[in-house]
Amino acid sequence: MAITAAVVFYLIELASPASKLLNPPELRAQNHTLTMTLHAALTSDGRNSFFFNGQANAPTLRLSPGDQLKIAYSNDLPAKPSENCAITPCMDMTNLHFHGLTVSPDAPQDDVLDMMAAPGKTLHYTVQIPKDHPPGLYWYHTHPHGESHRQVQDGMSGAIVIEGIESYFSPLAGLAERVLVVRGRSIKNDPHAHEFGQRVDLSSQACGGEQEAPEEVFTVNGSLRPQIEIAPGERQFWRVVNASADRYLDLQLEGQSFEIVAMDGMPIARHDPDHRTRIAEHVLLPPAGRVEAIVTGPAATQATRLISRCVDTGPQGDPNPAMILADIVAKSRSQTTPRLLESSLRPEVKSLDLSAEEKTPSRFTVIFTEDQNGFYINGEKFAPDAAPMVRAKVGTFEHWKIVNASGELHPMHIHQVHFLPYAENDKPIAEPLWLDTVNVPVGGSVDVIMDFTDPVIRGMSVFHCHLLNHEDKGMMAKVLFE
């Protein structure tokens, strides 16, 4: 039945008018525990997918600080995959990564190194959300080295919401909430590529030096160019994750602005209570980046679209053209919508003076390079049996420098922790924000302060480029939190 449903949805997506955007299905913790069974399997058109309750989908997981997440994750993929992967032979190995969560990197929590399921095997995750965990938008996706790109590109990802963000910005209470999971859909060699391109008004104009034709379009919650309903003047809370395996989003709501409340799951007010939001006309989200923002409905007579602007990924980068993500349509205010609940949590404020650490020489430098044979960090390709490239002392802040010595953009992500990028190309960043994934400019650098102060992060973890085809081909390294 799940396969039939997947086929019907695929045909409807091509043939029917634009669908109304719906939030993904949700699961909520009960009695401080969220328990679920998740499967990895193939849809009828041969794509890797999460299956939940017999259907090809990935529910949004909603938990509160102090809750526990328990997942039985079964690998029902075939032993001999038909798709190609970065490291041959493809073995259809799979696992889960809880991106951005400040949880332990050891099994049975966010362990992407040793927890790995072959076809026919099941992994059992028990993830403890700390009581002081920042509320916000996070996400889960597969992370088997060498096979992560094709699995995430096929859509093996979902959102995680840690409740309580309204405790940092009270105007959020009572606003309708939308969760937007934006994924890249490959159209390379797809017989419907032209139709997909027309549907999203895929731009043929390159904004950089790339020579290749566009190979992907974006979907929102699995739909191609859906309609987002919002009444004129209505304020909604949008939580957007760039779940693409290898494409950038530069979000713009035509004629409107975003009132940003959080980036990468971190409420702005947690570190800057005097300036709780930021106003932006557009927001650049690298792969894995998230933004949580208030948007205001345009006038009913105003045609408005949510678009991704063209992103110049560098002379060696992949094409990242402009396209339409969704159309904004007016709705009646009388319609009922989901509501955020008032939070009983007391917000934790961490006003930090990191100026001394910023002035010290970098304690560790990450250098991204690439050639025709692969992708490297500090001249080395990732190896599962490699020793940690760097050791981080738990309880400290550290100045790291991320250098991009290549001809394309690289988004750097480190598991378990957030960091503060404070300088780009050795120049101060205006109004810096805490992130867990940062864009590193072509031929440039970013200086960050790593927050290694949380005692739960002890153990072996990784940092890598979040263009997952780069990570699969070697651009990842181990870090030991000790």
Side-chain angles (χ1 to χ4, degrees):
M1 182 176 293
I3 291 178
T4 302
V7 174
V8 171
F9 177 79
Y10 180 72
L11 294 176
I12 290 174
E13 182 181 69
L14 289 175
S16 68
S19 58
K20 298 293 191 295
L21 182 73
L22 299 176
N23 282 343
E26 296 182 344
L27 293 177
R28 295 178 180 268
Q30 303 292 329
N31 298 319
H32 303 293
T33 302
L34 195 164
T35 302
M36 66 178 296
T37 298
L38 191 67
H39 295 263
L42 294 182
T43 60
S44 62
D45 59 352
R47 295 179 184 273
N48 299 278
S49 179
F50 287 142
F51 279 76
F52 175 72
N53 280 351
Q55 298 296 315
N57 62 39
T60 297
L61 311 181
R62 305 190 74 108
L63 303 105
S64 295
D67 286 350
Q68 192 173 79
L69 173 62
K70 303 182 76 171
I71 300 178
Y73 180 49
S74 295
N75 186 351
D76 299 332
L77 295 169
K80 295 183 179 180
S82 58
E83 294 181 291
N84 295 323
C85 57
I87 299 177
T88 56
C90 295
M91 300 175 66
D92 264 344
M93 306 290 281
T94 192
N95 62 3
L96 296 176
H97 169 46
F98 305 98
H99 186 114
L101 292 184
T102 307
V103 297
S104 171
D106 290 339
Q109 300 201 57
D110 192 20
D111 177 5
V112 301
L113 293 170
D114 297 319
M115 293 187 71
M116 197 74 65
K121 301 297 183 181
T122 297
L123 298 173
H124 295 275
Y125 289 92
T126 300
V127 181
Q128 182 62 51
I129 310 299
K131 292 182 178 180
D132 60 350
H133 198 288
L137 179 64
Y138 301 87
W139 65 302
Y140 60 102
H141 61 86
T142 62
H143 207 293
H145 179 64
E147 305 191 63
S148 60
H149 178 264
R150 67 188 183 92
Q151 291 185 7
V152 173
Q153 187 174 59
D154 279 357
M156 297 183 76
S157 59
I160 299 174
V161 173
I162 303 299
E163 305 284 13
I165 196 170
E166 64 273 18
S167 67
Y168 284 92
F169 192 60
S170 59
L172 292 175
L175 296 188
E177 175 187 316
R178 291 192 180 277
V179 175
L180 284 71
V181 181
V182 182
R183 300 183 178 94
R185 169 78 179 260
S186 175
I187 56 173
K188 187 178 181 180
N189 302 321
D190 193 310
H192 301 287
H194 182 67
E195 296 170 71
F196 284 153
Q198 283 189 321
R199 180 87 163 266
V200 300
D201 197 16
L202 186 65
S203 174
S204 60
Q205 296 182 344
C207 56
E210 64 273 3
Q211 301 299 318
E212 299 90 350
E215 296 179 350
E216 294 184 30
V217 294
F218 287 119
T219 63
V220 184
N221 295 351
S223 295
L224 204 63
R225 193 175 174 175
Q227 294 180 340
I228 300 178
E229 294 183 319
I230 183 170
E234 178 189 3
R235 285 157 61 83
Q236 292 184 356
F237 184 42
W238 289 12
R239 316 182 93 153
V240 186
V241 52
N242 180 0
S244 166
D246 57 6
R247 291 297 184 267
Y248 281 78
L249 280 176
D250 192 355
L251 290 173
Q252 182 177 28
L253 189 59
E254 294 175 323
Q256 308 294 313
S257 59
F258 296 99
E259 185 177 3
I260 301 173
V261 177
M263 293 292 296
D264 285 3
M266 183 65 71
I268 293 174
R270 187 175 175 91
H271 294 286
D272 191 356
D274 296 327
H275 306 89
R276 294 173 179 264
T277 63
R278 300 284 191 274
I279 303 298
E281 301 304 313
H282 63 98
V283 183
L284 179 65
L285 292 182
R290 287 95 67 211
V291 63
E292 296 169 82
I294 297 172
V295 301
T296 302
T301 56
Q302 179 182 347
T304 303
R305 304 171 302 178
L306 178 66
I307 66 172
S308 180
R309 296 158 33 120
C310 190
V311 178
D312 182 358
T313 62
Q316 296 176 358
D318 294 320
N320 216 119
M323 68 187 76
I324 300 170
L325 301 177
D327 294 292
I328 310 303
V329 297
K331 72 173 180 63
S332 169
R333 282 184 178 274
S334 62
Q335 290 179 261
T336 59
T337 54
R339 298 291 174 178
L340 290 172
L341 300 177
E342 289 278 2
S343 173
S344 60
L345 298 174
R346 298 184 63 183
E348 180 178 0
V349 177
K350 293 186 175 182
S351 297
L352 302 172
D353 182 3
L354 301 174
S355 56
E357 187 63 38
E358 291 175 4
K359 294 175 183 176
T360 65
S362 62
R363 299 177 188 269
F364 182 64
T365 299
V366 178
I367 303 176
F368 288 146
T369 56
E370 59 184 87
D371 59 26
Q372 66 272 19
N373 296 315
F375 296 80
Y376 311 87
I377 294 180
N378 295 356
E380 298 180 16
K381 282 186 178 183
F382 176 79
D385 58 352
M389 181 175 286
V390 61
R391 295 170 180 263
K393 186 177 180 180
V394 177
T396 65
F397 294 97
E398 287 191 6
H399 171 197
W400 283 23
K401 193 177 192 71
I402 321 298
V403 178
N404 180 359
S406 78
E408 64 178 310
L409 296 180
H410 292 289
M412 198 285 295
H413 169 57
I414 183 169
H415 291 202
Q416 282 37 83
V417 302
H418 279 73
F419 50 80
L420 180 69
Y422 68 90
E424 182 175 309
N425 295 334
D426 298 320
K427 296 180 179 179
I429 295 174
E431 298 186 327
L433 298 174
W434 289 81
L435 305 171
D436 62 40
T437 307
V438 66
N439 179 53
V440 189
V442 173
S445 64
V446 176
D447 287 86
V448 307
I449 300 297
M450 292 286 180
D451 183 357
F452 297 135
T453 60
D454 197 318
V456 308
I457 65 172
R458 295 182 187 276
M460 191 74 76
S461 191
V462 295
F463 59 97
H464 59 88
C465 173
H466 220 287
L467 297 174
L468 293 180
N469 53 337
H470 295 181
E471 180 270 309
D472 278 347
K473 295 176 181 178
M475 199 171 270
M476 183 165 75
K478 294 179 183 178
V479 52
L480 178 61
F481 301 123
E482 58 183 4

